[in-house]
Amino acid sequence: MKFGGAFTPGTLAMEMLQVCNFNFILLPLMLIPKFELARQYSCMFSMVSAITTFLSPASSWADLEWYSATVLNSWLNHVFAVALPLFMMAARRLKPQKKYVLPVLGCVFAYFTIVAGVSWLLIENGVITAENSFSFVFNTEGIIIFDLLYELIPVPYFYLYPFLIVLYLYFRLLAWAAKKRQVIPFTYRAPKENAIR
């Protein structure tokens, strides 16, 4: 998310088209006790997506001060996307579960499909271009694996489909690695009447 322009519901909605900015919605949803799918999506997909930003910071940062709003916002955004699921896992309130592999994969597919549709409409109406579109749907942004997939399937959005297989295997591996880990259900229990207050 960039600062400096006018803040409107439209600009907020545009920011949600970026994978990591979607965490502004996802992180609060993770704190709803019955919304396990949000926590599973975060620990299986969003957390690793946010980590990749630490490994390859944006080239545009080279012209910015370390304390600029753009840099600090990006760091905070990605740190919280990694920290919250990690804290929940450390507290034994969360672990990747096999039964959520397909639902999370479906959510990833739905997210990228919605982003593709909205981005296409924005491109057609001249609001954005394919070069500055969101979430790698129309632009591989020089990421090696996406460049290779685009050479294999040179069609925007559809070139990402084989990556779903990689994600499926990765999600299964995470669930398998955590299968013996004991967790405390993430639920709210009302205090008993005789509890010490």
Side-chain angles (χ1 to χ4, degrees):
M1 183 178 284
K2 295 179 181 178
F3 291 97
F7 181 80
T8 65
T11 59
L12 179 62
M14 289 267 290
E15 293 295 340
M16 294 305 105
L17 298 175
Q18 296 181 6
V19 173
C20 291
N21 285 340
F22 182 67
N23 289 317
F24 285 113
I25 292 174
L26 180 65
L27 295 180
L29 293 178
M30 290 176 63
L31 301 177
I32 298 172
K34 292 188 176 181
F35 207 166
E36 182 65 25
L37 181 58
R39 290 186 286 280
Q40 292 294 319
Y41 182 93
S42 180
C43 75
M44 288 186 188
F45 179 70
S46 286
M47 183 170 63
V48 72
S49 297
I51 288 172
T52 61
T53 300
F54 299 137
L55 302 176
S56 59
S59 58
S60 60
W61 287 11
D63 298 328
L64 301 173
E65 300 289 347
W66 68 267
Y67 52 82
S68 76
T70 298
V71 173
L72 292 179
N73 176 67
S74 181
W75 275 105
L76 287 173
N77 180 8
H78 294 91
V79 164
F80 282 113
V82 174
L84 184 56
L86 277 182
F87 289 158
M88 286 184 162
M89 287 190 274
R92 295 187 177 273
R93 295 291 182 162
L94 174 64
K95 73 173 186 177
Q97 298 177 42
K98 181 181 175 182
K99 68 180 179 179
Y100 282 98
V101 167
L102 288 177
V104 168
L105 194 66
C107 288
V108 172
F109 176 79
Y111 174 80
F112 277 93
T113 300
I114 291 168
V115 168
V118 172
S119 297
W120 181 80
L121 288 173
L122 293 173
I123 290 169
E124 288 294 304
N125 288 290
V127 178
I128 61 173
T129 65
E131 289 71 33
N132 68 0
S133 59
F134 307 103
S135 297
F136 313 105
V137 171
F138 292 92
N139 186 352
T140 65
E141 297 188 19
I143 296 175
I144 295 172
I145 189 167
F146 291 161
D147 285 340
L148 292 173
L149 288 174
Y150 198 80
E151 286 179 15
L152 183 67
I153 306 171
V155 182
Y157 169 69
F158 293 102
Y159 84 93
L160 291 169
Y161 275 29
F163 199 62
L164 291 172
I165 298 168
V166 174
L167 287 177
Y168 173 78
L169 296 173
Y170 171 70
F171 295 165
R172 288 295 300 264
L173 180 63
L174 280 180
W176 174 81
K179 68 179 178 180
K180 292 185 179 179
R181 184 172 172 80
Q182 298 295 314
V183 293
I184 303 164
F186 190 85
T187 57
Y188 171 78
R189 293 183 183 175
K192 296 180 180 178
E193 291 181 6
N194 59 354
I196 298 174
R197 299 189 181 190

